[in-house]
Amino acid sequence: MSAANEYRSMEEAAEPGETREPPAGIEERAEVVIVGAGMVGAALACLLGRAGVEVTLVDARESLLDPEAVGRGQPGIRVSALTPVSQRLLGRLGVWEWMAARRISPYRFMQVWDAEGSGEVSFSAEQAGVVKLGHIVENDVTQAALEQRLVALPSVRLVLGARVTGLEAADGKRCLRLADGRRLVAPLVVAADGARSPLRELAGIETRERDTGHRAVVTTVKVELPHGDVARQAFLPTGPLAFLPLRIDGERHHCSIVWSTSPEEAERLQGLAPEALGDELAGAIDHRLGEVTVVDRAVAFPLVQRHAQRYVLPGLALVGDAAHSIHPLAGQGVNLGLMDAAVLAEELLAARRRGVALGEERWLARYARRRRGDNAGMLALMDGFRLLFGARHPALALARNLGLGAVDRLIPLKRLIMQQAIGHRGRLPASCR
């Protein structure tokens, strides 16, 4: 049972009412141990596992998603805007077709405007030289697709319900200690365990953090007018508001909402009745989509931008939110993480072919060089946008409105911006070309 860990198999074999403790002190070995089986960690495990690398994937969750329960009925509240580059990666992993059969929502246009002025810019897939600018996909759909791929890979072993309590280095390897007493030993351990990464903290890697002062309010709405496969974003005095188009049962009347605003305003919005929140959302985008009906609860979470001061140590690498977390302004978070996974896998497989130890820091530095600059640039860009559109000074307001208008008229500049936005930056790994 490659997809089930030894402890879980023992539990399933126990007699009803019988509890079996996991054996303490057991040492298990792999070529790579990945902590965190979210979208980025799962994608990395798939990339390595399909090449025959022995991977142990550790996660605190007790079970995987039920693939039959996702992409049906009410859409999940958390979504991602996947770029064409991320789509190619997921296609190479053999999961995109399954995702498309469940639920994906393509968008071909983008509209961005300043709600305090007349500045507006529109982008199209045709201008970017692609069929679609991207797809809005529920996180659970992507996650379930990757999990199904994982369980079919004989060299990948899942360890679920596991909590990491220690990280050690000895004899050129890393050793993870789990709460149940087991030890996982490998030349390389990868932290894919999220923005508050416990593994990053155990390794003593510090982060540069910037509290954006915003909270993101997310929910799902139904709109009166069809969205036309347009992703809309309005820069309001209280923060940016995005209407991300969803296709539900073939209809174009649903959107995922991400409203980044102050903690006080987020609390107020969450406290509104659904009808009142719908009215506020409709007014905030000048009723461009007619009446707005809120069809799910409104959830808020803090927005803190983080960047790890180091991506690698001997026998250790950070990917995804463990390395960087970004304001959702341009929907780039998951895409940056998937690119981390693709580049790290490419470098590790190259090392393996050449007989280089997978935990060799000088080789891991190749991954860090390829990814840190790109991630830092995107973090800085999003911070700049946030500050520019959050400024209330009349001169800045005039400048950004004139700037948006100028960009809208310059097709070559728009094409360059869109090439960056859809992920065509720098040297792409082979799995994303």
Side-chain angles (χ1 to χ4, degrees), residues 50-101:
R50 69 175 189 160
V53 179
E54 293 181 357
V55 177
T56 298
L57 181 57
V58 180
D59 199 88
R61 289 179 298 151
E62 293 291 338
S63 62
L64 301 180
L65 293 175
D66 177 1
E68 296 304 318
V70 301
R72 312 287 193 193
Q74 181 77 10
I77 200 168
R78 298 296 297 270
V79 304
S80 297
L82 298 179
T83 66
V85 171
S86 293
Q87 177 186 346
R88 285 200 291 272
L89 172 62
L90 294 166
R92 291 286 181 88
L93 290 176
V95 302
W96 185 259
E97 185 176 349
W98 185 91
M99 293 166 61

Side-chain angles (χ1 to χ4, degrees), residues 74-135:
Q74 181 77 10
I77 200 168
R78 298 296 297 270
V79 304
S80 297
L82 298 179
T83 66
V85 171
S86 293
Q87 177 186 346
R88 285 200 291 272
L89 172 62
L90 294 166
R92 291 286 181 88
L93 290 176
V95 302
W96 185 259
E97 185 176 349
W98 185 91
M99 293 166 61
R102 283 302 186 271
R103 188 157 56 204
I104 60 174
S105 303
Y107 60 98
R108 297 179 293 120
F109 307 95
M110 288 182 64
Q111 293 178 353
V112 180
W113 69 94
D114 188 341
E116 291 193 299
S118 59
E120 181 167 339
V121 60
S122 298
F123 301 96
S124 71
E126 183 181 4
Q127 291 170 345
V130 293
V131 177
K132 299 176 180 66
L133 291 177
H135 292 79

